[in-house]
Amino acid sequence: MDSSSPTPEPAVRKTRALADARRHGSSEGLRTAATSGSSPSTRHIAYPSATAQHGHRDGRKRTRVMDAAAPNEVSLDKLLEPLDEQSLRLLLDTLLVQNPLLAAQVRQLVPKPTVNSACSQLVRLERRLQAAFPYNKSGPATDDYTYHRVRPALEELRDTIVMYLDHFTHYGLASASSVTHAQEQPLNALSHPAEWFDLLTQATDVAMRMPKWDRRDNNEIRRETLRQLADGWLRAIMATSRWTEEGHLVGRGMLSQWAQQLDHFYANAGEPALLHPAVQAFQRSFGQHCARGPSMVPLETTT
């Protein structure tokens, strides 16, 4: 080796190692380079990597890189892991309250609701309502005290039924012209009446199981829920009638099933007047295509 080429100083070797580590974006390499050949006073210096400065596509990896600078702290994913569903919802609600702009991002990330997921949520809310009843050795009580104890859960169930009913049925059924005007169809327009009637059937089942109270006024939540659902049945029947007029086909078996379900609710909901218009509309539109149930009211004649 030429004696005119001196051996690089430790500081020069350290600088080259840091440059190489930055080019490769390695936080571990940066820490190694920063500590190699350095004095004790500079041995704990850590330089942020490119992923820590500009973010990483994988949120978990980004968390680990950022947490690596504080080895005495628990990583964020491990802090979140023990939390139950209620705690996670409370945490998310707090973040949304403090940062309202996050709501749009969260809405884009969460899965879109389906009829099945909506009905599953109604069942969970019904269980929450049942769990809200105070213990009674003779079974759930129906007095004023019990009503006021379970009223918040009862109102939440009603509001959720109405919310999903409006969400899925506000735009009705996708028309026959959707093939040529697909861009004009709302995203949550139902593609087939079976989805509408499935939602109505399951939601009405839940509403019928709402408790009946001793005081008549306390039953208004149940009546209002059934009133909204009865209107939903009427709208579904009229929309399906128009849908078939546009050229779509509905099988006799499906029509008979809807007739039996509507007949069951009409006979057992305890509010026949609310479902009377829906029963009449179904008989006018589809009565000739399916068997008439024993409780179906006769058609009214107009003069």
Side-chain angles (χ1 to χ4, degrees):
M1 176 180 292
D2 187 0
S3 59
S4 62
S5 300
T7 302
E9 295 297 328
V12 177
R13 290 199 303 270
K14 174 183 172 183
T15 302
R16 289 178 180 174
L18 288 172
D20 292 340
R22 285 196 181 94
R23 283 195 298 270
H24 290 85
S26 170
S27 60
E28 186 63 32
L30 285 172
R31 289 192 296 272
T32 304
T35 56
S36 62
S38 62
S39 62
S41 60
T42 61
R43 188 160 296 173
H44 298 288
I45 297 177
Y47 294 85
S49 66
T51 53
Q53 291 175 346
H54 305 292
H56 198 285
R57 292 181 181 178
D58 188 336
R60 292 177 65 86
K61 291 182 179 179
R62 180 176 64 243
T63 301
R64 291 193 185 103
V65 171
M66 295 175 65
D67 289 348
N72 61 318
E73 294 184 5
V74 180
S75 61
L76 183 58
D77 58 335
K78 297 305 180 186
L79 288 174
L80 295 175
E81 186 175 348
L83 299 182
D84 56 19
E85 179 182 354
Q86 184 177 359
S87 299
L88 287 172
R89 287 182 58 187
L90 179 60
L91 176 62
L92 181 59
D93 290 342
T94 303
L95 287 173
L96 293 176
V97 170
Q98 296 178 354
N99 305 273
L101 296 179
L102 288 176
Q105 300 179 36
V106 172
R107 186 175 290 274
Q108 291 177 354
L109 293 173
V110 297
K112 300 300 180 184
T114 63
V115 170
N116 286 336
S117 67
C119 293
S120 297
Q121 187 173 8
L122 294 182
V123 173
R124 288 194 296 270
L125 291 177
E126 183 181 20
R127 291 172 182 166
R128 188 182 302 176
L129 169 64
Q130 294 169 351
F133 275 82
Y135 172 75
N136 189 323
K137 62 181 180 180
S138 301
T142 55
D143 55 10
D144 286 354
Y145 169 77
T146 305
Y147 167 76
H148 289 291
R149 280 284 300 272
V150 306
R151 180 174 177 176
L154 190 61
E155 290 177 335
E156 183 181 11
L157 179 58
R158 175 203 59 192
D159 295 343
T160 305
I161 290 176
V162 175
M163 177 189 68
Y164 278 128
L165 188 64
D166 181 66
H167 172 78
F168 287 108
T169 68
H170 181 76
Y171 293 103
L173 294 168
S175 65
S177 60
S178 60
V179 177
T180 56
H181 300 87
Q183 68 279 6
E184 299 178 4
Q185 294 296 327
L187 294 178
N188 55 336
L190 297 175
S191 59
H192 195 278
E195 298 177 277
W196 201 333
F197 284 97
D198 188 27
L199 174 65
L200 287 169
T201 298
Q202 297 192 57
T204 308
D205 259 332
V206 172
M208 284 180 57
R209 292 193 293 268
M210 284 182 170
K212 296 180 180 179
W213 306 99
D214 298 337
R215 185 187 297 272
R216 177 176 174 81
D217 292 343
N218 293 344
N219 291 315
E220 184 57 33
I221 295 177
R222 183 178 186 274
R223 280 197 300 269
E224 177 59 25
T225 307
L226 289 172
R227 187 179 299 112
Q228 294 281 350
L229 287 165
D231 181 68
W233 278 94
L234 179 60
R235 291 177 56 233
I237 294 165
M238 297 174 65
T240 303
S241 178
R242 293 191 297 268
W243 196 72
T244 55
E245 291 174 359
E246 292 178 350
H248 295 281
L249 299 177
V250 180
R252 288 179 178 268
M254 187 171 291
L255 289 172
S256 296
Q257 181 181 6
W258 296 341
Q260 292 173 7
Q261 291 165 344
L262 182 58
D263 177 47
H264 169 72
F265 296 139
Y266 177 79
N268 298 285
E271 300 286 348
L274 297 179
L275 287 163
H276 183 84
V279 171
Q280 290 283 313
F282 193 93
Q283 287 185 264
R284 289 193 181 96
S285 298
F286 307 110
Q288 70 274 18
H289 300 297
C290 57
R292 176 180 169 184
S295 300
M296 299 290 266
V297 297
L299 286 172
E300 295 177 351
T301 58
T302 57
T303 56

